[in-house]
Amino acid sequence: MKKVYLAMSADIIHHGHINVINEASKLGEVTVGILTDEVIASYKRFPLLGYAERKAIIENIKGVDHVIAQETLDYVPNLEKLKPDYVVHGDDWRTGEQKVIRDRVIAALKQWQGELVEVKYTDGVSITQLDDAVQKIGITPNARLRRLRKLLEIKPVLRVLEAHNGLTGLIAEKTKIEQNGRIKEFDAMWISSLCDSTAKGKPDIELVDLTSRLTTINDVLEVTTKPIILDGDTGGQVEHFVFTVKTLERLGVSAIIIEDKVGLKKNSLFGTDVLQTQDTVENFAHKISEGKQAQVTEEFMIIARIESLILKAGLADALARAKAYIDAGADAIMIHSKEKEPDEIFAFCAEYATFPNKVPLVAVPSSYNHVTESALMEAGISIVIYANHLIRSAYPAMLHTAQTILQNERSLECDIDMMPIKQILTLIPGGN
Ligand code: SPV
Ligand code: MG
């Protein structure tokens, strides 16, 4: 019996896949390599079904003899283990991003006189269209809530973008680029207190109350499916915080980050230029543990934000607080800095790495923004938040347009900087 290998993500199955499996089974004993969740998340998007579920489906399809995990996009590690006589694939990978993978398959097969068999691609099936259709259905609050933890399990570092209304939510949800054969996108959204307040024309001092913040969250929830991390400021009074936690869980928010400050909260990026008071370790640890006890789901995350570096309380204080907050039940630690260089963040990460009891680390590289995601990841950061970038780019553009109209007493001169009317009318589908 000849050995046949084919690989698939098997997240959305259609008749094209069945055709490939049928053709493969005519050639011999079929082993299907199922891409792991990590691989799918690294090049495409969050898989709709987990590996175990996808494996169970494929194992039960006629013509499939064995199912194994394919832990890289590259087929070669599995091919070298299996040394199949044939690899079967649709003929759609001869050009485009998959060509490199195809070339490596051909080269590997040559070593043992194996052969690549390409099946004519099934017309009329568009995975992109199927993906879009699934996306349109939306997501339940529970599934969305859980997704942040799952993403932390399957991706080495998560990339999070601020959203302060439905439109910016859509940008965070839908913006994708293709780079080196991989689709890159944001994993989750950050509802920033700075951006939410600024968008409402208010200062970032916990003035925008929870009811108003919930309206923003709801606007974002309505048009997106990605997980939400809420900037919860100080979390307020403990007695209030326990209610907030339940409210957020009910909506499907995945996490709240609360900062260890008391009194009139000011934005951290002011640093010591304004009066800001750090909470005691005991009080803040108490707030965390009360929040943890209040939550209904297993998966909701309470993330403790340490302001010691912002307030110049030193590295030792930051580390001591991290330990105490983890002991109190914090699901992750956000370490913040407003320095232009990441030295104090990296120093924190190096010491943190020696902790026996660790939770994921979150960084917000607004000031030290020359540091790349991969450098942060190597330092031990698991979540990178781009905290204010959409509002900071939108405001100057809008201001420029307003000034241009004033200068010219008409809007013709703005055209060059604006999207055409036709485009804005159809930007959000369903309006025509
Ligand atoms: C926010 O985005 O509101 C934050 C991050 O809390 S920072 O502005 O850096 O304090
Ligand atoms: Mg904030």
Side-chain angles (χ1 to χ4, degrees):
M1 196 73 162
K2 299 271 189 191
K3 283 195 280 186
V4 191
Y5 183 74
L6 60 99
M8 52 175 64
S9 58
D11 202 21
I12 298 179
I13 301 283
H14 54 73
H15 53 291
H17 294 115
I18 303 296
N19 185 39
V20 171
I21 292 171
N22 275 344
E23 292 304 315
S25 69
K26 287 180 195 162
L27 297 167
E29 186 178 8
V30 175
T31 299
V32 179
I34 304 271
L35 302 186
T36 57
D37 295 345
E38 288 82 351
V39 177
I40 297 180
S42 76
Y43 88 102
K44 204 155 79 176
R45 54 155 169 71
F46 186 87
L48 301 168
L49 298 175
Y51 174 79
E53 294 155 327
R54 294 181 287 111
K55 179 169 181 274
I57 292 170
I58 297 301
E59 272 169 352
N60 286 288
I61 287 181
K62 206 171 112 195
V64 174
D65 298 292
H66 313 283
V67 174
I68 59 172
Q70 184 170 309
E71 287 168 1
T72 53
L73 255 191
D74 186 11
Y75 283 43
V76 173
N78 271 5
L79 295 187
E80 281 181 344
K81 264 184 254 157
L82 228 67
K83 301 213 167 28
D85 301 288
Y86 300 105
V87 167
V88 180
H89 197 284
D91 64 1
D92 54 317
W93 68 340
R94 291 184 183 164
T95 55
E97 79 225 34
Q98 292 199 74
K99 186 179 176 306
V100 189
I101 297 172
R102 177 180 185 266
D103 290 346
R104 284 184 54 79
V105 168
I106 293 170
L109 285 171
K110 226 184 216 160
Q111 295 170 57
W112 54 88
Q113 277 84 46
E115 198 186 317
L116 172 65
V117 176
E118 292 178 320
V119 179
K120 191 178 161 339
Y121 189 74
T122 306
D123 287 334
V125 186
S126 159
I127 277 288
T128 319
Q129 263 176 20
L130 290 172
D131 266 349
D132 284 351
V134 170
Q135 188 100 355
K136 263 199 199 120
I137 295 168
I139 190 163
T140 64
N142 278 349
R144 187 197 303 246
L145 192 162
R146 279 200 294 272
R147 193 165 280 191
L148 185 67
R149 280 202 193 259
K150 181 71 187 164
L151 277 163
L152 277 167
E153 272 169 33
I154 66 177
K155 289 189 86 169
V157 65
L158 308 188
R159 186 185 289 135
V160 180
L161 185 64
E162 73 100 343
H164 55 270
N165 56 21
L167 187 62
T168 47
L170 281 174
I171 291 175
E173 173 88 8
K174 294 196 169 186
T175 307
K176 290 185 175 62
I177 63 158
E178 206 179 301
Q179 200 175 50
N180 306 325
R182 281 160 191 257
I183 293 173
K184 291 168 90 177
E185 61 177 308
F186 293 95
D187 298 295
M189 294 168 287
W190 164 245
I191 313 267
S192 147
S193 69
L194 172 65
C195 302
D196 200 0
S197 306
T198 305
K200 295 177 200 299
K202 300 264 174 72
D204 181 18
I205 52 170
E206 288 187 288
L207 174 63
V208 179
D209 68 1
L210 184 65
T211 309
S212 181
R213 305 281 323 267
L214 290 174
T215 305
T216 304
I217 294 169
N218 225 13
D219 288 345
V220 175
L221 286 168
E222 264 194 77
V223 295
T224 61
T225 62
K226 288 183 178 174
I228 289 180
I229 303 173
L230 175 69
D231 174 357
D233 288 318
T234 64
Q237 306 287 334
V238 178
E239 292 80 355
H240 297 179
F241 182 56
V242 292
F243 281 92
T244 306
V245 166
K246 289 194 204 300
T247 303
L248 296 174
E249 287 184 283
R250 197 170 61 245
L251 291 172
V253 171
S254 301
I256 185 169
I257 300 190
I258 52 171
E259 57 195 275
D260 56 0
K261 290 203 297 234
V262 284
L264 181 62
K265 191 223 77 159
K266 303 277 174 67
N267 185 277
S268 301
L269 301 175
F270 283 123
T272 50
D273 295 350
V274 294
L275 182 68
Q276 309 203 55
T277 314
Q278 204 166 10
D279 200 354
T280 63
V281 176
E282 296 70 31
N283 279 347
F284 198 68
H286 175 65
K287 196 181 282 186
I288 295 165
S289 72
E290 289 293 305
K292 287 308 293 175
Q293 282 172 49
Q295 74 183 57
V296 177
T297 64
E298 295 254 302
E299 295 92 351
F300 185 74
M301 295 177 74
I302 296 180
I303 304 179
R305 163 171 169 176
I306 296 172
E307 293 284 295
S308 307
L309 304 178
I310 295 284
L311 301 173
K312 301 286 173 230
L315 181 62
D317 184 71
L319 290 162
R321 282 172 180 271
K323 275 205 183 86
Y325 299 163
I326 294 171
D327 288 345
D331 298 295
I333 294 288
M334 170 179 156
I335 181 69
H336 204 14
S337 163
K338 64 177 279 289
E339 298 303 313
K340 282 207 159 322
E341 293 304 322
D343 304 6
E344 60 182 20
I345 290 287
F346 286 169
F348 177 92
C349 290
E351 292 291 329
Y352 184 82
T354 66
F355 280 23
N357 190 12
K358 284 192 281 287
V359 293
L361 279 182
V362 182
V364 181
S366 297
S367 55
Y368 53 98
N369 66 354
H370 61 89
V371 181
T372 59
E373 288 162 10
S374 52
L376 289 167
M377 181 185 80
E378 266 157 40
I381 301 290
S382 302
I383 302 183
V384 176
I385 299 180
Y386 297 94
N388 43 46
H389 297 74
L390 294 185
I391 203 148
R392 281 171 59 205
S393 49
Y395 180 75
M398 293 193 288
L399 188 63
H400 176 69
T401 297
Q403 289 168 341
T404 306
I405 293 172
L406 288 178
Q407 267 156 15
N408 299 284
E409 298 183 8
R410 62 178 192 182
S411 69
L412 175 73
E413 288 72 14
C414 302
D415 278 358
I416 185 172
D417 298 316
M418 298 191 305
M419 69 201 294
I421 288 178
K422 212 172 163 189
Q423 210 176 326
I424 189 76
L425 288 179
T426 51
L427 180 68
I428 312 293
N432 50 352

